[in-house]
Structure formats: structure tokens, C-alpha cells
Amino acid sequence: MPASLRLAVRNAAALTTGLAHTRGHALTSRDGFLAMSGPTLLRVLVVRPDPDPADVAELALLVKRAEARVVVEDSFGAIDGTALGLTARHLPVMIRPPSPAPRPALRVEPVRTAAEWAVAERVVVDGFPLPGFPTGAALPLALKDREGFRVRTAWRDGVVAGACLTVETGDVAGLYWVATLPEHRSRGVGRALLNAAVGEFPALPMTLSATEQGLPLYESLGFSTVTHATWWSNPA
């Protein structure tokens, strides 16, 4: 496994663990995967390229029993989701080596108060989007005090136009949910958030999962694709 992919998966595991704990969801931890089980989502992260048969069987049982939306992220091609009734899409896993970033062209601020956090969470839910999450459930306020977790907002025309989450795990920073509200898109909001996030960790590599539409922006800021992860999900 490339070292950069190992960093990306380990950072994603920190995100999954933090969300499970702050959302109050059950967390299943096996050698081969992590699974966060909540009332609206079963979120599984494959953490090894060679999960043993017992782990695969346990994962299959969790998916079979799930009464909510199922998402399985597999960066290794280790799981056959079709056998579980799931369908696949593929997203690039990207990493940027440590280096400075340009200053953001828009105002970007760290989220400090509960009121600011609620605004940022709503931007992520509406702009990313994250359907089915009421306020307080997508990015619980308790994440604000969790070590390594930071939320930022980007401002345009005097209002919050975008938001993102970063997770620092000592040797890498992960970037998640770079969201821009529809009325502010194609106005440099995403680029400002990226520059601010990267600029805060100049000595660390940064990793993210990209959409194909976001690739040109990420590549322009020095991110390169490590692999294409398979994201398995059940029908909407």
C-alpha cells in the first residue's frame, strides 16, 4: 500500500471515529473496517487491502441488517459490493505534499462559537449537500472541542458563502465537505477555503476525496490522485 494512501485512510478513520462518538452512533471496529451505525446512515470505511473472511462476513451482516442508507468506502478494491446489493461509484483519493499555499482571495474565518458552528453546519448540509441531517446531527457541536477537528467559513458579500472541515492526525491533515452555497458558486469560494486550509498546515501533507468536477481545482493547488476509491451504496 502506498504510504500516501495509508495516510488518507488513517485520517478518514479518525473522521469516522470522531463523528460516531459525537453523534452518539454505534462504532464497530474490526481489523479490516470501521462502521458507524446511526438511524439514517450506516457508514463503513475499509481500512485494509486484505480484510480477513470473518471481517467480510461481519460487514455483510451489518449491511444486510441496515434499515438506513448504506455507504461503504473502499480505497483498496477489497469488497465486492454487488454481492451485498450495493452499487458503485468511483472517487479520486488525492494528496498534496507539504508546501505553502497562496493567501485566500476571500475572507476565511475559523469557527469559534456555537452560533457560528450552526451556520457552518447548515452551509455544509445545504451546499455539499448532506441530505437527511437536521441541524446538530451532521457536524455535532461536540466536534468543536475534539482535538484536530476544525471548521472554517468563507465569506462573500458580507455573508457566509462556504464552509469546510479539516481533521489533523499528527502526520497528515484531511479536508472534508468543502461546500459552497448554490448562489455563491463559481465565485472563488471553494478556492479560498482550500487555500486557507492548506495554508494552515504547510508542514503536513493534505488528503481529500474529490469529485471528478472538483479535480481541476484540486490539481491546480498541487493535489495529485493516489487511487480511485470505490464508494458502494444502496439505492436511494
Side-chain angles (χ1 to χ4, degrees):
M1 185 197 325
S4 54
L5 183 55
R6 187 180 300 111
L7 289 174
V9 172
R10 191 161 65 237
N11 193 270
L15 172 67
T16 301
T17 301
L19 288 175
H21 288 166
T22 56
R23 288 175 178 173
H25 294 175
L27 182 67
T28 301
S29 180
R30 305 273 299 206
D31 286 345
F33 70 87
L34 287 176
M36 173 178 61
S37 303
T40 62
L41 177 67
L42 170 65
R43 172 76 165 88
V44 180
L45 175 71
V46 179
V47 298
R48 289 181 53 176
D50 55 349
D52 65 40
D55 282 355
V56 175
E58 177 70 14
L59 190 158
L61 190 60
L62 285 171
V63 171
K64 181 179 180 180
R65 290 176 173 173
E67 297 180 354
R69 182 168 179 250
V70 174
V71 176
V72 179
E73 179 184 352
D74 179 9
S75 295
F76 311 106
I79 301 299
D80 178 11
T82 57
L84 305 176
L86 305 177
T87 57
R89 62 179 179 140
H90 303 280
L91 297 178
V93 178
M94 307 188 79
I95 198 155
R96 182 184 190 274
S99 62
R103 291 179 60 86
L106 297 176
R107 172 186 168 196
V108 178
E109 299 286 350
V111 170
R112 294 188 174 93
T113 69
E116 291 170 348
W117 190 276
V119 170
E121 182 191 36
R122 177 48 53 191
V123 169
V124 169
V125 170
D126 292 343
F128 191 71
L130 295 177
F133 282 97
T135 300
L139 293 176
L141 181 60
L143 275 181
K144 186 170 72 71
D145 299 320
R146 193 171 181 91
E147 184 177 359
F149 283 69
R150 303 178 195 175
V151 169
R152 295 165 188 78
T153 51
W155 294 67
R156 180 175 174 269
D157 294 339
V159 297
V160 175
C164 69
L165 168 72
T166 57
V167 180
E168 180 189 1
T169 50
D171 52 0
V172 66
L175 181 63
Y176 301 93
W177 298 326
V178 181
T180 302
L181 292 176
E183 61 270 29
H184 296 284
R185 288 177 184 158
S186 301
R187 297 294 187 273
V189 175
R191 182 176 293 274
L193 286 166
L194 283 165
N195 282 337
V198 171
E200 191 161 340
F201 305 102
L204 293 179
M206 178 165 278
T207 182
L208 57 82
S209 291
T211 61
E212 292 294 340
Q213 295 89 339
L215 271 178
L217 172 60
Y218 300 133
E219 289 174 343
S220 74
L221 294 173
F223 286 86
S224 59
T225 299
V226 177
T227 190
H228 281 74
T230 304
W231 289 67
W232 298 98
S233 60
N234 52 357

